[in-house]
């Protein structure tokens, strides 16, 4: 998109379409998978959305991704003297950009060096092929949400099969050797209701009444090291490190020390993007006593 005088707007950033209106946008930190809309000063707030103040004091309007018509990452490129640049700033008469080409002689002759890059400021009437580029952020987000839902967010789970039907189940039998099944509206006639459950959705089964009783969990590798998956956080898979390399633990700034389930020992966890993990695999452990 361009403003009335043809400036790239925004030069870089994210934009979202809500109810036919275009807004600057960003991830809603702590409210994943929501997106926050950022109306420009003086523009009315998006209708039907509540404001939320970020840690830096800025105000956004969170919205669920399924209510958006589009969400894109926007960049612009242009050419000057036939060479390609990534636009980083726009003024009324000039465009600023980083050089994307490989002609070292051209760069040293015409541009200024900033770190390992070359950049320049160019009159608009010398710029050609000003082009908008969009990266669709919405469809990959929808796909990720579906993937997490299908895998139940990679949490360990326990199930029991009774008369061919599969129910969520307790991971351990109670003191009397019975296993609690979460049956919902189903009322298996040959099972007894759990007297400890006021909702009436739990029934108790003896192991010999079950076709199967098993636990599922996921494992993966991150940076070639092994982890047990324990769930997801803001669309990233969370895992507990199961390897034995103290050097990896000590040198990885992305690992977080946490108190383990026993309340005594420390475990190290990571939150990694699904595209950054390998060997993501589901495992099944049978819990029924072997006959």
């Amino acid at each position: 998109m361009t403003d009335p005088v043809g400036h790239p707007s925004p030069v870089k950033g994210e934009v979202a379409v809500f109810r036919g209106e275009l807004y600057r946008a960003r991830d809603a930190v702590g409210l994943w998978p929501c997106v926050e809309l950022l109306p420009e000063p003086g523009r009315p707030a998006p209708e039907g959305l509540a404001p939320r103040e970020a840690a830096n004091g800025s105000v956004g309007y969170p919205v669920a991704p399924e209510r958006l018509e589009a969400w894109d990452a926007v960049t612009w490129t242009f050419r000057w003297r036939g060479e390609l640049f990534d636009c980083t700033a726009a003024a009324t008469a000039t465009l600023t950009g980083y050089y994307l080409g490989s002609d070292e002689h051209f760069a040293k002759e015409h541009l200024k060096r900033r770190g390992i890059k070359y950049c320049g400021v160019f009159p608009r009437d010398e710029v050609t092929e000003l082009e908008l580029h969009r990266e669709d952020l919405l469809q990959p987000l929808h796909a990720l949400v579906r993937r997490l839902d299908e895998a139940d967010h990679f949490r360990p789970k326990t199930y029991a099969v009774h008369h061919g039907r599969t129910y969520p189940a307790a991971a351990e039998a109670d003191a009397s050797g019975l296993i609690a099944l979460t049956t919902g509206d189903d009322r298996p006639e040959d099972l007894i209701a759990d007297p400890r459950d006021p909702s009436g959705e739990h029934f108790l089964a003896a192991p010999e009444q079950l076709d199967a009783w098993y636990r599922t969990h996921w494992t993966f590798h991150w940076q070639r090291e092994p982890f047990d998956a324990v769930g997801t956080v803001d669309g990233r898979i969370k895992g507990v490190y199961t390897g034995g390399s103290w050097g990896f633990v000590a040198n990885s700034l992305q690992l977080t020390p946490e108190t383990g389930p026993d309340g005594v020992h420390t475990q190290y966890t990571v939150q990694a993007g699904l595209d950054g993990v390998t060997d993501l695999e589901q495992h099944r452990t049978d819990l029924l006593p072997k006959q």
Side-chain angles (χ1 to χ4, degrees):
M1 68 180 174
T2 58
D3 65 20
V5 292
H7 297 168
S9 175
V11 172
K12 282 184 179 292
E14 298 175 11
V15 295
V17 179
F18 176 68
R19 294 185 175 179
E21 296 289 333
L22 189 66
Y23 298 89
R24 290 178 180 262
R26 66 187 177 197
D27 286 317
V29 176
L31 289 178
W32 190 92
C34 288
V35 179
E36 280 189 330
L37 306 182
L38 306 171
E40 296 176 358
R43 185 177 178 185
E47 185 178 352
L49 301 181
R52 175 175 180 260
E53 185 174 350
N56 62 4
S58 62
V59 176
Y61 293 80
V63 58
E66 59 267 21
R67 300 182 65 189
L68 294 175
E69 291 106 85
W71 179 32
D72 299 312
V74 172
T75 59
W76 291 79
T77 58
F78 61 85
R79 290 187 181 273
W80 182 73
R81 298 191 178 181
E83 296 288 342
L84 187 64
F85 289 80
D86 177 28
C87 187
T88 59
T92 303
T94 60
L95 292 178
T96 302
Y98 278 113
Y99 181 47
L100 298 177
S102 58
D103 188 334
E104 191 76 13
H105 176 74
F106 170 86
K108 289 180 178 179
E109 181 178 0
H110 299 289
L111 308 174
K112 293 182 179 180
R113 191 179 186 111
R114 290 186 180 175
I116 61 173
K117 296 182 178 181
Y118 288 94
C119 70
V121 181
F122 312 102
R124 277 184 170 267
D125 57 6
E126 296 182 10
V127 166
T128 61
E129 300 181 39
L130 179 61
E131 185 176 357
L132 169 66
H133 306 271
R134 294 181 181 272
E135 177 189 355
D136 185 0
L137 302 177
L138 192 57
Q139 294 308 313
L141 179 60
H142 285 319
L144 177 57
V145 170
R146 287 194 300 270
R147 185 177 178 189
L148 296 182
D149 286 341
E150 290 167 359
D152 201 11
H153 292 260
F154 301 102
R155 288 186 290 264
K157 289 287 185 179
T158 304
Y159 300 96
V161 181
H162 176 258
H163 291 338
R165 296 194 63 176
T166 301
Y167 303 97
E172 296 180 353
D174 64 14
S176 60
L178 299 178
I179 301 157
L181 279 57
T182 303
T183 62
D185 294 333
D186 190 13
R187 298 291 186 266
E189 293 182 358
D190 58 340
L191 301 184
I192 60 174
D194 187 345
R196 300 161 296 186
D197 174 39
S199 72
E201 294 185 350
H202 292 176
F203 281 73
L204 299 176
E208 58 269 19
Q209 293 178 285
L210 298 177
D211 306 321
W213 179 33
Y214 59 93
R215 176 182 181 270
T216 63
H217 75 285
W218 295 79
T219 60
F220 64 89
H221 282 78
W222 177 75
Q223 295 190 1
R224 300 183 179 179
E225 294 288 339
F227 290 81
D228 277 345
V230 294
T232 61
V233 179
D234 286 349
R236 301 168 68 83
I237 190 168
K238 181 177 181 179
V240 175
Y241 180 54
T242 57
S245 171
W246 176 247
F248 173 75
V249 171
N251 295 322
S252 179
L253 299 179
Q254 296 185 60
L255 292 183
T256 302
E258 297 181 8
T259 302
D262 60 6
V264 177
H265 295 91
T266 299
Q267 62 185 18
Y268 292 87
T269 65
V270 70
Q271 296 174 18
L274 284 176
D275 57 353
V277 306
T278 60
D279 306 318
L280 183 60
E281 184 178 359
Q282 188 180 45
H283 306 267
R284 169 172 167 161
T285 303
D286 290 322
L287 302 176
L288 279 181
K290 293 183 178 180
Q291 302 297 324

